Amino acid sequence: MQPWSSVPVPRVPGTPRPLRLFDTSAGEVKPTEPGPVARMYVCGITPYDATHLGHAATYLAFDLVHRVWLDNGHQVHYVQNVTDIDDPLLERAERDNEDWVVLAMRETALFREDMEALRVVPPADFVGAVESIPEIVESVGKLLASGAAYRVDDEYPDVYFRHQASGHFGYESNYDGETMAAFFAERGGDPDRAGKEHPLDALLWRAARDGEPSWESELGPGRPGWHLECSVIALNRLGLGFDVQGGGSDLIFPHHEFSAAHAESLTGEFPFAKHYVHAGMIGLDGEKMSKSKGNLVFVSRLRGDRVDPMAIRLALLDGHYRTDRSWTADALTAGAARLARWRQAVELESAPSAEAAVAELRERLSDDLDTQQALRAIDAWVEEALTTGGSDAEAPQLIRTAVDALLGVEL
Ligand code: ZN
């Protein structure tokens, strides 16, 4: 698939700071240690609905990872998928009496527009599940051949993954069996599917059913399971042991646990990724934002209401990416006010020296993306610039460049 348009990221004078991030698997903040090319995979959308603020917050967090690595002189190989075939997409198309292909294309196009408006640096590889079916089929074949997978023996010969096959199952989430069972049932798993060897075994290939789209393959007609899609897309573009596997915290289990286990079984190597990084959930006015509650706030809706995407960006960054937090009208008002004040300050002909503020911005971001304190570092400079003033003619441009490059906010 075509990703969205590229976003220029300027170089920032001064000394970059290496990035430390919380790793779910290790349960602690630890340094990222990329080579010349940093490798990141972030799970993409299932395009049955528009991008809501929870999605946006997740992609903004990983955009900052991307930007801090660029600041440190790495190239970044960023891969993101689009789950353009899966049950939620088919269910929505059925509900709305719409062609699922048209629905997926429309929502993917809207997602691209939203990401571009928010100035998220695009992935180098933006890969759909449908276009990946040949490589997924090949991988299912390998897992069957090695004994990591099996077919259910009934009228629908679905292929399942023996969840313990990699020998490392559970290391990513660190959840106990009870928690795994609960999340597996809640988040798209099928513990009660008759004929499985174990309730936690995960679907790799769903044999064709009447009325469902399917693809011919050497496995028989069918369509791919979700976890394997991400495993294969990541593995075939980044290789095993890439730097960051990212997504929302609702992907910790089962999605990321199985994506890792599939890839580790396919290669016989470990680990799938060096860091597993998860963004918190965004609620609305204190309630969880969800389809079922009907309280989703869409980026495109805000854009339609002529909200400046940079104000949305600042509003979402004024909270730690790992914290579950709430979206409120006040948060957006505060983001817009901050944006206006920052823009006023960088229009000054001279201002106080900005070097310390930029160093502080780097320091805060490098510490597990502490965006709240990073924003306050810029606030402090802006406050001084607008009240006391200063004689440094280069300072406003330095702030403009640093805020653009490191926070993705165009002033
Ligand atoms: Zn994924």
Side-chain angles (χ1 to χ4, degrees):
M1 289 184 169
Q2 270 302 110
W4 54 97
S5 305
S6 64
V7 177
V9 180
R11 299 294 306 168
V12 186
T15 311
R17 302 279 306 168
L19 179 63
R20 298 164 56 79
L21 282 176
F22 186 87
D23 171 23
T24 300
S25 171
E28 61 181 12
V29 176
K30 59 178 208 185
T32 63
E33 293 169 325
V37 180
R39 296 172 294 163
M40 174 162 71
Y41 185 94
V42 179
C43 290
I45 56 163
T46 301
Y48 61 89
D49 216 339
T51 321
H52 61 68
L53 289 172
H55 296 132
T58 296
Y59 297 117
L60 287 183
F62 293 99
D63 188 50
L64 297 190
V65 172
H66 196 155
R67 288 169 180 276
V68 174
W69 278 341
L70 288 175
D71 189 43
N72 278 274
H74 302 286
Q75 289 180 45
V76 180
H77 188 174
Y78 177 24
V79 181
Q80 189 181 128
N81 68 308
V82 177
T83 304
D84 57 357
I85 180 68
D86 204 6
D87 294 346
L89 178 65
L90 298 176
E91 285 159 14
R92 178 61 63 92
E94 168 97 27
R95 188 197 78 178
D96 296 349
N97 197 21
E98 186 172 17
D99 182 333
W100 66 272
V101 176
V102 174
L103 172 62
M105 286 176 69
R106 186 179 68 236
E107 296 304 344
T108 304
L110 192 55
F111 174 73
R112 282 198 196 91
E113 279 179 29
D114 288 339
M115 291 296 104
E116 202 168 315
L118 290 170
R119 302 187 81 243
V120 173
V121 179
D125 295 305
F126 188 53
V127 189
V130 171
E131 64 186 338
S132 310
I133 286 176
E135 50 191 303
I136 294 169
V137 166
E138 188 190 342
S139 299
V140 176
K142 281 186 194 164
L143 291 169
L144 278 167
S146 73
Y150 61 94
R151 276 185 194 276
V152 168
D153 183 18
D154 65 18
E155 63 172 316
Y156 300 117
D158 302 332
V159 182
Y160 280 87
F161 178 75
R162 294 191 166 95
H163 70 287
Q164 295 285 9
S166 68
H168 301 283
F169 190 75
Y171 83 93
E172 182 270 339
S173 65
N174 295 302
Y175 291 157
D176 60 24
E178 198 180 328
T179 310
M180 285 184 184
F183 281 140
F184 189 81
E186 189 182 307
R187 296 172 179 167
D190 53 357
D192 302 326
R193 164 73 162 102
K196 287 191 350 178
E197 291 176 6
H198 190 284
L200 278 183
D201 291 350
L203 181 71
L204 295 172
W205 185 253
R206 179 174 165 88
R209 267 72 163 170
D210 279 348
E212 286 187 12
S214 62
W215 285 262
E216 289 300 332
S217 79
E218 64 205 42
L219 302 165
R223 59 183 168 94
W226 175 38
H227 315 310
L228 185 64
E229 165 195 339
C230 284
S231 275
V232 170
I233 292 173
L235 203 54
N236 289 349
R237 283 154 194 82
L238 298 174
L240 204 85
F242 59 92
D243 296 288
V244 165
Q245 158 75 314
S249 58
D250 53 346
L251 300 188
I252 293 173
F253 193 91
H255 186 55
H256 284 175
E257 192 75 65
F258 274 105
S259 296
H262 295 337
E264 290 152 7
S265 288
L266 278 165
T267 59
E269 291 169 40
F270 178 86
F272 181 50
K274 292 178 187 159
H275 260 82
Y276 297 91
V277 180
H278 297 103
M281 300 286 109
I282 303 292
L284 178 67
D285 299 323
E287 278 205 30
K288 188 174 153 73
M289 212 182 272
S290 71
K291 293 185 293 290
S292 53
K293 290 210 170 82
N295 63 351
L296 298 175
V297 178
F298 296 112
V299 174
S300 47
R301 179 70 252 169
L302 293 173
R303 291 199 290 123
D305 291 340
R306 302 194 171 261
V307 173
D308 189 324
M310 295 300 95
I312 302 172
R313 192 159 174 129
L314 282 174
L316 287 171
L317 294 181
D318 195 7
H320 196 271
Y321 79 96
R322 282 199 283 124
T323 309
D324 291 343
R325 53 204 197 274
S326 201
W327 178 260
T328 60
D330 287 351
L332 183 56
T333 304
R338 176 177 263 141
L339 181 65
R341 214 161 159 73
W342 287 14
R343 282 184 171 155
Q344 199 185 343
V346 297
E347 290 301 324
L348 295 169
E349 287 194 1
S350 70
S353 166
E355 283 167 23
V358 171
E360 177 76 3
L361 171 63
R362 279 181 160 129
E363 181 69 33
R364 296 300 187 170
L365 289 178
S366 73
D367 179 17
D368 197 29
L369 306 176
D370 184 355
T371 50
Q372 284 175 296
Q373 293 307 318
L375 297 189
R376 275 151 194 74
I378 302 301
D379 284 342
W381 178 87
V382 164
E383 203 54 39
E384 194 184 346
L386 292 176
T387 53
T388 316
S391 57
D392 186 337
E394 311 287 321
Q397 184 56 41
L398 177 56
I399 290 290
R400 194 193 291 269
T401 302
V403 165
D404 179 354
L406 295 166
L407 294 172
V409 175
E410 190 172 36
L411 295 179

